[in-house]
Amino acid sequence: MAAVLAVGLAVVAWAEPSGLAQLGPKGARVKDAGGTVVLSVPLSQAVPWRVALRAGPPQVVVEMGDVVWSELPVIVSDSVSEARTSRAGPGWTELALVLREPLSVATAAMKVAKDGTAVLEVRLLPTTADEFHRLADPAKVEAIAGPESDRMVVALDPGHGGVDPGAVAGDLVEADLMLAAARAMKEALVRTGRFDVVLTREEDDFVSLEARLTKARAAGADVFISLHADALSAEDGSASGMTVYRLADDAAGGADALLAARHAGNDLLKGVDLSGVGDDVALA
Ligand SMILES: [Zn+2]
């Protein structure tokens, strides 16, 4: 019988689904306040967010990590005609405020209370049509985006997937365990408000090593963490605990060289696979 090491199991046990962010009891609101228009979105917990302007028809677009939009914002403003919500890719929801007149973002901030609830407040100011269109240029969106710049970007790489299940022990499949672990880690990291997290695969799909790295680089990842859970056959003995691999300049003859050698050729096409080197390197 094979035994899956503790690394995968430990992380999954930690993965109790804690739910999506819910709207606070008062609901979201758009109202006029002293020459500005204020959107406030009370939430059961902090989520990642960003704000942008979009042309034709003019809109203020607020993207937030998974939020259950149980009701649309109440609009008490002549400047906003309508609010719409939609999905905006895996793990993101979008709130679009359709504008009657051009507005720009004066301030945007998410305040997190001690009890973990949060309020996103976006303050909008009237602007000219020319300025609106300049700001709504997709190339300029970063300039008025949310506070991502001071958050570390973490790429989590759930090993294997699709045609490559990785290690299998009874009903346990490494590819599934690592995807669940990555989703749980993403949620935990994003909740701290200190990290943006990108997953190199979102589903049980085959993703090549190159595609995983490309995705991480495109997201501007500061760190790339590849998640694997190894298994040994009974003949090979048993093991428990965790192994951590990292690159080191002085390890040219050690673990990273061994990894590189083992992943040359066909293995590379299976994605990032550390399972084959587990016991050798762990004993080193
Ligand atoms: Zn693996």
Side-chain angles (χ1 to χ4, degrees):
M1 269 309 290
V4 174
L5 295 189
V7 53
L9 297 175
V11 176
V12 172
W14 182 54
E16 280 300 307
S18 39
L20 310 172
Q22 309 285 332
L23 278 183
K26 287 182 182 163
R29 184 167 288 266
V30 180
K31 62 176 182 184
D32 291 332
T36 67
V37 178
V38 178
L39 163 70
S40 64
V41 183
L43 296 168
S44 59
Q45 65 197 41
V47 294
W49 60 277
R50 54 191 174 225
V51 183
L53 303 180
R54 185 185 289 159
Q59 298 166 56
V60 174
V61 178
V62 181
E63 287 186 7
M64 286 187 272
D66 275 323
V67 169
V68 180
W69 280 101
S70 48
E71 55 186 338
L72 289 169
V74 174
I75 300 173
V76 194
S77 167
D78 292 336
S79 305
V80 176
S81 64
E82 192 189 345
R84 301 170 183 161
T85 59
S86 59
R87 300 287 304 167
W92 287 86
T93 52
E94 176 184 297
L95 168 68
L97 302 179
V98 182
L99 306 179
R100 287 207 177 90
E101 58 183 11
L103 298 173
S104 66
V105 179
T107 61
M110 182 172 287
K111 291 183 182 132
V112 184
K114 284 207 176 104
D115 64 0
T117 61
V119 180
L120 175 67
E121 188 177 281
V122 181
R123 198 168 282 268
L124 305 165
L125 276 172
T127 187
T128 63
D130 281 354
E131 180 69 359
F132 180 91
H133 283 97
R134 192 184 68 76
L135 292 168
D137 180 344
K140 303 261 183 5
V141 164
E142 283 303 308
I144 56 164
E148 281 117 317
S149 57
D150 51 359
R151 291 201 291 259
M152 182 179 241
V153 179
V154 178
L156 293 177
D157 175 46
H160 311 280
V163 297
D164 172 18
V168 177
D171 293 339
L172 298 171
V173 176
E174 183 183 0
D176 298 342
L177 287 174
M178 294 305 95
L179 184 57
R183 286 176 176 156
M185 289 174 72
K186 174 179 178 177
E187 188 169 340
L189 288 169
V190 165
R191 268 223 196 130
T192 66
R194 288 156 51 201
F195 302 97
D196 288 320
V197 179
V198 59
L199 264 53
T200 57
R201 68 178 172 95
E202 303 275 356
E203 304 294 340
D204 184 20
D205 293 331
F206 171 80
V207 182
S208 72
L209 175 60
E210 289 83 352
R212 290 168 194 255
L213 294 176
T214 299
K215 195 164 175 185
R217 288 204 182 99
D222 298 300
V223 60
F224 183 95
I225 302 175
S226 194
L227 302 173
H228 288 259
D230 300 339
L232 291 175
S233 65
E235 306 87 69
D236 288 336
S238 65
S240 63
M242 188 177 285
T243 46
V244 178
Y245 303 95
R246 66 173 179 85
L247 286 180
D249 293 339
D250 57 357
D256 57 350
L258 188 57
L259 275 176
R262 295 228 180 173
H263 286 83
N266 290 340
D267 278 354
L268 195 62
L269 299 175
K270 291 179 185 165
V272 181
D273 184 354
L274 305 182
S275 61
V277 300
D279 22 52
D280 295 311
V281 180
L283 293 171

